[in-house]
mmCIF file of all heavy atoms in Angstrom:
data_model
loop_
_atom_site.group_PDB
_atom_site.id
_atom_site.type_symbol
_atom_site.label_atom_id
_atom_site.label_comp_id
_atom_site.label_asym_id
_atom_site.label_seq_id
_atom_site.Cartn_x
_atom_site.Cartn_y
_atom_site.Cartn_z
ATOM 1 N N SER A 605 -8.863 32.177 67.264
ATOM 2 C CA SER A 605 -9.183 33.600 67.339
ATOM 3 C C SER A 605 -8.205 34.406 66.505
ATOM 4 O O SER A 605 -7.020 34.077 66.408
ATOM 5 C CB SER A 605 -9.125 34.076 68.799
ATOM 6 O OG SER A 605 -9.347 35.466 68.882
ATOM 7 N N GLY A 606 -8.711 35.477 65.922
ATOM 8 C CA GLY A 606 -7.849 36.419 65.222
ATOM 9 C C GLY A 606 -7.392 37.550 66.124
ATOM 10 O O GLY A 606 -6.739 38.487 65.669
ATOM 11 N N ASP A 607 -7.729 37.468 67.397
ATOM 12 C CA ASP A 607 -7.396 38.526 68.339
ATOM 13 C C ASP A 607 -5.977 38.346 68.870
ATOM 14 O O ASP A 607 -5.307 37.346 68.617
ATOM 15 C CB ASP A 607 -8.396 38.512 69.491
ATOM 16 C CG ASP A 607 -8.566 39.875 70.139
ATOM 17 O OD1 ASP A 607 -7.697 40.737 69.891
ATOM 18 O OD2 ASP A 607 -9.541 40.069 70.877
ATOM 19 N N ASN A 608 -5.531 39.326 69.639
ATOM 20 C CA ASN A 608 -4.229 39.287 70.288
ATOM 21 C C ASN A 608 -4.121 38.053 71.182
ATOM 22 O O ASN A 608 -5.070 37.671 71.866
ATOM 23 C CB ASN A 608 -4.064 40.577 71.107
ATOM 24 C CG ASN A 608 -2.736 40.638 71.840
ATOM 25 O OD1 ASN A 608 -2.581 40.037 72.888
ATOM 26 N ND2 ASN A 608 -1.791 41.356 71.264
ATOM 27 N N ASP A 609 -2.939 37.412 71.196
ATOM 28 C CA ASP A 609 -2.781 36.176 71.957
ATOM 29 C C ASP A 609 -2.943 36.399 73.459
ATOM 30 O O ASP A 609 -3.511 35.561 74.173
ATOM 31 C CB ASP A 609 -1.424 35.528 71.650
ATOM 32 C CG ASP A 609 -0.259 36.468 71.912
ATOM 33 O OD1 ASP A 609 -0.423 37.685 71.733
ATOM 34 O OD2 ASP A 609 0.825 35.995 72.300
ATOM 35 N N GLN A 610 -2.459 37.548 73.976
ATOM 36 C CA GLN A 610 -2.595 37.804 75.404
ATOM 37 C C GLN A 610 -4.051 38.044 75.793
ATOM 38 O O GLN A 610 -4.507 37.594 76.852
ATOM 39 C CB GLN A 610 -1.729 39.010 75.803
ATOM 40 C CG GLN A 610 -0.233 38.768 75.662
ATOM 41 C CD GLN A 610 0.584 39.981 76.087
ATOM 42 O OE1 GLN A 610 0.043 41.057 76.308
ATOM 43 N NE2 GLN A 610 1.887 39.797 76.189
ATOM 44 N N VAL A 611 -4.780 38.758 74.938
ATOM 45 C CA VAL A 611 -6.200 38.978 75.212
ATOM 46 C C VAL A 611 -6.946 37.654 75.207
ATOM 47 O O VAL A 611 -7.774 37.377 76.080
ATOM 48 C CB VAL A 611 -6.806 39.940 74.165
ATOM 49 C CG1 VAL A 611 -8.306 40.073 74.347
ATOM 50 C CG2 VAL A 611 -6.144 41.306 74.259
ATOM 51 N N THR A 612 -6.652 36.808 74.222
ATOM 52 C CA THR A 612 -7.322 35.510 74.130
ATOM 53 C C THR A 612 -7.015 34.651 75.341
ATOM 54 O O THR A 612 -7.916 34.014 75.907
ATOM 55 C CB THR A 612 -6.888 34.791 72.838
ATOM 56 O OG1 THR A 612 -7.145 35.630 71.710
ATOM 57 C CG2 THR A 612 -7.630 33.483 72.678
ATOM 58 N N ALA A 613 -5.748 34.625 75.748
ATOM 59 C CA ALA A 613 -5.372 33.838 76.929
ATOM 60 C C ALA A 613 -6.064 34.359 78.180
ATOM 61 O O ALA A 613 -6.484 33.583 79.050
ATOM 62 C CB ALA A 613 -3.852 33.873 77.105
ATOM 63 N N ARG A 614 -6.190 35.676 78.291
ATOM 64 C CA ARG A 614 -6.854 36.268 79.457
ATOM 65 C C ARG A 614 -8.331 35.870 79.499
ATOM 66 O O ARG A 614 -8.859 35.484 80.555
ATOM 67 C CB ARG A 614 -6.719 37.791 79.394
ATOM 68 C CG ARG A 614 -7.494 38.536 80.464
ATOM 69 C CD ARG A 614 -6.925 38.316 81.841
ATOM 70 N NE ARG A 614 -7.617 39.126 82.827
ATOM 71 C CZ ARG A 614 -7.340 39.110 84.128
ATOM 72 N NH1 ARG A 614 -6.383 38.317 84.578
ATOM 73 N NH2 ARG A 614 -8.009 39.879 84.962
ATOM 74 N N ILE A 615 -9.021 35.948 78.354
ATOM 75 C CA ILE A 615 -10.433 35.566 78.300
ATOM 76 C C ILE A 615 -10.586 34.082 78.629
ATOM 77 O O ILE A 615 -11.503 33.685 79.363
ATOM 78 C CB ILE A 615 -11.028 35.893 76.926
ATOM 79 C CG1 ILE A 615 -11.069 37.403 76.693
ATOM 80 C CG2 ILE A 615 -12.422 35.301 76.776
ATOM 81 C CD1 ILE A 615 -11.967 38.154 77.646
ATOM 82 N N CYS A 616 -9.702 33.262 78.096
ATOM 83 C CA CYS A 616 -9.758 31.826 78.386
ATOM 84 C C CYS A 616 -9.604 31.575 79.886
ATOM 85 O O CYS A 616 -10.301 30.728 80.466
ATOM 86 C CB CYS A 616 -8.676 31.083 77.608
ATOM 87 S SG CYS A 616 -8.988 30.972 75.832
ATOM 88 N N ALA A 617 -8.686 32.291 80.519
ATOM 89 C CA ALA A 617 -8.498 32.132 81.966
ATOM 90 C C ALA A 617 -9.752 32.554 82.729
ATOM 91 O O ALA A 617 -10.121 31.926 83.728
ATOM 92 C CB ALA A 617 -7.291 32.946 82.418
ATOM 93 N N GLN A 618 -10.416 33.591 82.258
ATOM 94 C CA GLN A 618 -11.612 34.076 82.946
ATOM 95 C C GLN A 618 -12.771 33.093 82.868
ATOM 96 O O GLN A 618 -13.634 33.079 83.750
ATOM 97 C CB GLN A 618 -12.032 35.431 82.373
ATOM 98 C CG GLN A 618 -11.074 36.572 82.720
ATOM 99 C CD GLN A 618 -11.483 37.882 82.065
ATOM 100 O OE1 GLN A 618 -12.262 37.892 81.106
ATOM 101 N NE2 GLN A 618 -10.957 38.988 82.564
ATOM 102 N N VAL A 619 -12.817 32.282 81.817
ATOM 103 C CA VAL A 619 -13.915 31.314 81.686
ATOM 104 C C VAL A 619 -13.484 29.915 82.104
ATOM 105 O O VAL A 619 -14.222 28.945 81.889
ATOM 106 C CB VAL A 619 -14.448 31.287 80.236
ATOM 107 C CG1 VAL A 619 -15.036 32.627 79.871
ATOM 108 C CG2 VAL A 619 -13.360 30.886 79.243
ATOM 109 N N GLY A 620 -12.287 29.796 82.697
ATOM 110 C CA GLY A 620 -11.849 28.508 83.221
ATOM 111 C C GLY A 620 -11.269 27.569 82.204
ATOM 112 O O GLY A 620 -11.275 26.349 82.406
ATOM 113 N N LEU A 621 -10.755 28.098 81.109
ATOM 114 C CA LEU A 621 -10.160 27.264 80.064
ATOM 115 C C LEU A 621 -8.656 27.478 80.068
ATOM 116 O O LEU A 621 -8.187 28.567 79.701
ATOM 117 C CB LEU A 621 -10.741 27.630 78.698
ATOM 118 C CG LEU A 621 -10.338 26.760 77.503
ATOM 119 C CD1 LEU A 621 -10.851 25.343 77.683
ATOM 120 C CD2 LEU A 621 -10.877 27.352 76.209
ATOM 121 N N PRO A 622 -7.858 26.490 80.474
ATOM 122 C CA PRO A 622 -6.397 26.680 80.504
ATOM 123 C C PRO A 622 -5.865 27.001 79.115
ATOM 124 O O PRO A 622 -6.164 26.300 78.145
ATOM 125 C CB PRO A 622 -5.871 25.332 81.002
ATOM 126 C CG PRO A 622 -7.035 24.672 81.671
ATOM 127 C CD PRO A 622 -8.242 25.150 80.934
ATOM 128 N N ALA A 623 -5.091 28.078 79.030
ATOM 129 C CA ALA A 623 -4.585 28.504 77.724
ATOM 130 C C ALA A 623 -3.529 27.545 77.195
ATOM 131 O O ALA A 623 -3.484 27.233 76.014
ATOM 132 C CB ALA A 623 -4.023 29.921 77.817
ATOM 133 N N GLY A 624 -2.623 27.077 78.082
ATOM 134 C CA GLY A 624 -1.579 26.177 77.627
ATOM 135 C C GLY A 624 -0.663 26.845 76.618
ATOM 136 O O GLY A 624 -0.350 28.032 76.722
ATOM 137 N N THR A 625 -0.273 26.093 75.602
ATOM 138 C CA THR A 625 0.589 26.625 74.561
ATOM 139 C C THR A 625 -0.254 27.345 73.510
ATOM 140 O O THR A 625 -1.189 26.778 72.951
ATOM 141 C CB THR A 625 1.389 25.496 73.879
ATOM 142 O OG1 THR A 625 2.164 24.815 74.876
ATOM 143 C CG2 THR A 625 2.325 26.074 72.826
ATOM 144 N N VAL A 626 0.090 28.606 73.268
ATOM 145 C CA VAL A 626 -0.639 29.407 72.280
ATOM 146 C C VAL A 626 0.119 29.352 70.961
ATOM 147 O O VAL A 626 1.304 29.687 70.898
ATOM 148 C CB VAL A 626 -0.790 30.865 72.755
ATOM 149 C CG1 VAL A 626 -1.523 31.679 71.697
ATOM 150 C CG2 VAL A 626 -1.544 30.916 74.077
ATOM 151 N N LEU A 627 -0.543 28.913 69.914
ATOM 152 C CA LEU A 627 0.071 28.839 68.589
ATOM 153 C C LEU A 627 -0.284 30.089 67.805
ATOM 154 O O LEU A 627 -1.452 30.465 67.730
ATOM 155 C CB LEU A 627 -0.413 27.595 67.838
ATOM 156 C CG LEU A 627 -0.116 26.252 68.497
ATOM 157 C CD1 LEU A 627 -0.677 25.115 67.651
ATOM 158 C CD2 LEU A 627 1.387 26.062 68.693
ATOM 159 N N LEU A 628 0.717 30.730 67.234
ATOM 160 C CA LEU A 628 0.508 31.946 66.449
ATOM 161 C C LEU A 628 0.725 31.647 64.973
ATOM 162 O O LEU A 628 1.586 30.856 64.608
ATOM 163 C CB LEU A 628 1.466 33.049 66.906
ATOM 164 C CG LEU A 628 1.400 33.433 68.391
ATOM 165 C CD1 LEU A 628 2.448 34.487 68.716
ATOM 166 C CD2 LEU A 628 0.017 33.944 68.744
ATOM 167 N N GLY A 629 -0.061 32.294 64.128
ATOM 168 C CA GLY A 629 0.094 32.079 62.698
ATOM 169 C C GLY A 629 -0.244 33.330 61.929
ATOM 170 O O GLY A 629 -0.934 34.203 62.424
#
Side-chain angles (χ1 to χ4, degrees):
S605 176
D607 207 344
N608 180 280
D609 56 328
Q610 294 181 350
V611 174
T612 305
R614 174 69 175 179
I615 294 296
C616 288
Q618 290 177 342
V619 297
L621 186 64
T625 302
V626 179
L627 300 179
L628 303 177

